[in-house]
Amino acid sequence: MAGPDAELAAKLQPDVPHAARIWNYWMGGKDNFQSDRAAGDAVAEVYPEIVLMAQQSRLFLVRAVRYLAAEAGIRQFLDIGTGLPTMQNTHAVAQGIAPDSRVVYVDNDPMVLVHARALLSSTTSEGVTTYVPADYHDPEKILAEAAQTLDFDQPIAVMFMGVMGYEPDLAVVRSIVGQTMDAMPSGSHLVFWDGTNTSPAVVSGADRLAQSGGVPYILRSPEELESCFSGLTMVQPGLVPIPLWRPDDADATGIDAYGAVARKP
């Protein structure tokens, strides 16, 4: 390995648990190290549902992108805080429905970027898939670089999928989401989900994650998450536990993670 990927690989820190790799482990992926698996197991000991949450988060992504591409007519997606590529990534779902979809992934994790170069390529000749190496705390950079691929005169779906819990200040979360959506034209959509403090077990799981050396994850109330959609119009059924957002399974049940899709008027 040489060039930029070698520089990124040198930053991986395999002995330090990392959020993207722990999440990959919970989803059944192989792009993780022993430190990540140990931290993931520690959380699962007190909150076994974390594995289900990881799986359900991907199913929510699939349903949301499917709705946006097939029903809302969205052809542009800005996926901020992408995480490690797994199955049914945003571009694959969108381009499977609308082959000309354009997708920009954003992440600042070195392992994610190494894999993005290798795996996040368009599934159609008409579509475009690219990535921006950036932190979601820098929306100006994200917007500037995304504008090289996306047309900001046409609706864009902005996605924050389970990543804002790593920012401890809710005011900062609202600012990041607000600044990003302010730059979007009418008809754009926000897709947002995060873990919620809706059971003692999930709170214990978050505590165990921090104790295991992982980056602390801040659980918030559904009402706090709803405040991130200010000025937007919720798509039915609104903010709900992610398995209950337009479920394919009639027997779907709730978990300690809420999400929604909302349209910018």
Side-chain angles (χ1 to χ4, degrees):
M1 183 183 293
D5 285 352
E7 296 175 8
L8 290 171
K11 302 177 182 178
L12 290 181
Q13 296 183 290
D15 295 333
V16 179
H18 193 280
R21 301 193 306 253
I22 295 171
W23 200 253
N24 176 265
Y25 173 55
W26 286 329
M27 291 188 71
K30 300 182 183 302
D31 298 313
N32 48 74
F33 298 112
Q34 178 55 37
S35 63
D36 309 308
R37 295 188 287 274
D41 288 343
V43 175
E45 283 180 7
V46 296
Y47 186 63
E49 291 83 359
I50 190 63
V51 176
L52 176 63
M53 185 185 296
Q55 297 167 347
Q56 287 294 333
S57 71
R58 182 50 50 123
L59 295 176
F60 172 62
L61 180 151
V62 170
R63 295 195 305 276
V65 172
R66 187 173 65 200
Y67 163 78
L68 290 165
E71 298 186 43
I74 300 296
R75 296 294 178 265
Q76 303 187 105
F77 297 81
L78 179 58
D79 188 337
I80 302 175
T82 304
L84 285 162
T86 55
M87 63 194 75
Q88 295 180 292
N89 297 293
T90 299
H91 73 284
V93 178
Q95 292 170 357
I97 296 168
D100 59 338
S101 295
R102 305 171 76 86
V103 179
V104 174
Y105 291 107
V106 180
D107 210 293
N108 69 333
D109 178 74
M111 193 168 185
V112 169
L113 297 177
V114 168
H115 283 260
R117 287 197 174 108
L119 299 176
L120 298 181
S121 57
S122 289
T123 57
T124 64
S125 58
E126 305 97 319
V128 176
T129 305
T130 187
Y131 69 91
V132 171
D135 188 301
Y136 61 56
H137 290 91
D138 192 359
E140 290 184 2
K141 177 182 179 181
I142 292 171
L143 294 168
E145 297 203 23
Q148 298 178 29
T149 301
L150 305 178
D151 180 358
F152 277 61
D153 291 327
Q154 298 298 321
I156 297 169
V158 176
M159 304 168 63
F160 292 100
M161 309 297 280
V163 297
M164 284 303 184
Y166 297 108
E167 168 47 56
D169 189 336
L170 180 59
V172 173
V173 174
R174 291 172 178 155
S175 176
I176 292 169
V177 174
Q179 186 174 347
T180 305
M181 293 307 298
D182 284 348
M184 300 297 143
S186 174
S188 294
H189 287 69
L190 171 66
V191 188
F192 184 111
W193 81 265
D194 246 322
T196 52
N197 56 4
T198 41
S199 78
V202 72
V203 173
S204 296
D207 290 342
R208 185 65 66 89
L209 176 64
Q211 294 165 7
S212 301
V215 177
Y217 190 94
I218 308 302
L219 298 169
R220 297 187 165 98
S221 69
E223 292 76 19
E224 288 175 315
L225 297 188
E226 188 170 11
S227 71
C228 297
F229 292 86
S230 176
L232 306 177
T233 302
M234 290 279 193
V235 172
Q236 290 297 324
L239 183 71
V240 295
I242 55 176
L244 304 182
W245 196 89
R246 301 192 173 214
D248 295 323
D249 181 1
D251 297 324
T253 58
I255 59 173
D256 299 304
Y258 278 59
V261 178
R263 183 182 185 276
K264 182 174 181 178

